[in-house]
Amino acid sequence: GMYQLGGYPMYLNSNDMQLGRGESIKDTARVLSRYLDGLMIRTFEQSKVEELAKYATIPIINGLTDEYHPCQILADLMTVKERKNKLEGLKVAFIGDGNNIANSFIVAALKLGMKFTLACPEGYEPLDEVLEFALGNDDFRLVRDKRKAAQDADVIVTDVWTSMGQEEEAKKRLLDFSGYIIDENLMTLTNPNCIVQHCLPAHKVEEISEGVFESHAEEIFDEAENRLHVQKAVMVKLMASHK
Ligand code: NVA
């Protein structure tokens, strides 16, 4: 995206920076702010992104944390809008883990007037702060039964059962999520022309069947492509107004 916009991207991991030698985020934020026009960070703890943003004087973009994944959700929303020509009033069903994707999607969907139902097993609910925001809003439902969520849905969303950093829990998660697959049976309950979104990589026969994935591949790969376009929009919006 940055190349296409005519900018100069740099990829830095913590070992390329003094962060890897114990420099505080506060100081790294102030150093990098002197060199760069913007910074996207992908890390585990949301608190690190917020610390960086607090001390940086350039735009900081959350490229993914354990808690939130706003850039991905912008790509999903762009894809839904392209396909449905609107967002308001659409019914979104998220089947699976109440993770970073679910957290960001709930907040975005409710702000945009979409109806959002999350079906997740016990113990895999979204963040408390997200539930506080969502519960009480008539457009939000949390259910255990995936069929209730899929009923009349316009958009079905899912994600892996084991996110990055959770690899040690993979076996337990496989058991806890069993049955939460999006398969052909489930798709019979949705509205006609329901679209499917998956942020990828997909684990077929875990969260989604091969058949559902392939019959909705166009939408899913549009979603992947839209990561590029919408992130360019984010960078233009933040960096152009920053200068
Ligand atoms: N929940 C996934 C999203 C990947 C795009 C993860 O955090 O690994």
Side-chain angles (χ1 to χ4, degrees), residues 63-207:
L64 172 141
T65 63
D66 285 344
E67 289 96 332
Y68 294 103
H69 199 1
C71 286
Q72 177 65 53
I73 301 315
L74 288 173
D76 293 28
L77 292 169
M78 179 176 169
T79 313
V80 175
K81 182 95 190 278
E82 281 178 335
R83 297 258 163 187
K84 301 279 182 196
N85 277 320
K86 63 171 189 176
L87 294 174
E88 199 174 346
L90 291 179
K91 290 186 187 142
V92 182
F94 184 100
I95 319 271
D97 192 8
N99 62 12
N100 44 11
I101 298 286
N103 287 323
S104 287
F105 217 140
I106 292 168
V107 173
L110 297 180
K111 285 189 173 184
L112 292 165
M114 303 171 92
K115 297 178 190 307
F116 196 101
T117 305
L118 171 76
C120 68
E122 250 172 77
Y124 294 96
E125 290 79 14
L127 288 177
D128 285 347
E129 65 190 22
V130 171
L131 286 179
E132 263 167 46
F133 170 79
L135 289 171
N137 185 326
D138 289 343
D139 287 338
F140 179 74
R141 284 188 311 159
L142 173 61
V143 298
R144 301 294 172 207
D145 181 355
K146 67 175 183 178
R147 297 174 63 85
K148 277 197 187 140
Q151 190 70 49
D152 301 325
D154 300 300
V155 184
I156 297 250
V157 189
T158 192
D159 186 13
V160 291
W161 292 341
T162 300
S163 284
M164 288 181 274
Q166 299 171 335
E167 289 76 11
E168 283 179 5
E169 301 170 22
K171 259 194 179 158
K172 176 173 166 30
R173 286 173 166 267
L174 211 52
L175 288 177
D176 292 347
F177 283 97
S178 80
Y180 278 83
I181 187 171
I182 297 174
D183 56 15
E184 287 76 352
N185 250 339
L186 192 73
M187 294 305 293
T188 62
L189 302 171
T190 68
N191 274 338
N193 305 321
C194 173
I195 69 168
V196 174
Q197 297 283 268
H198 191 310
C199 59
L200 303 178
H203 292 78
K204 297 165 204 173
V205 278
E206 285 185 21
E207 72 274 2

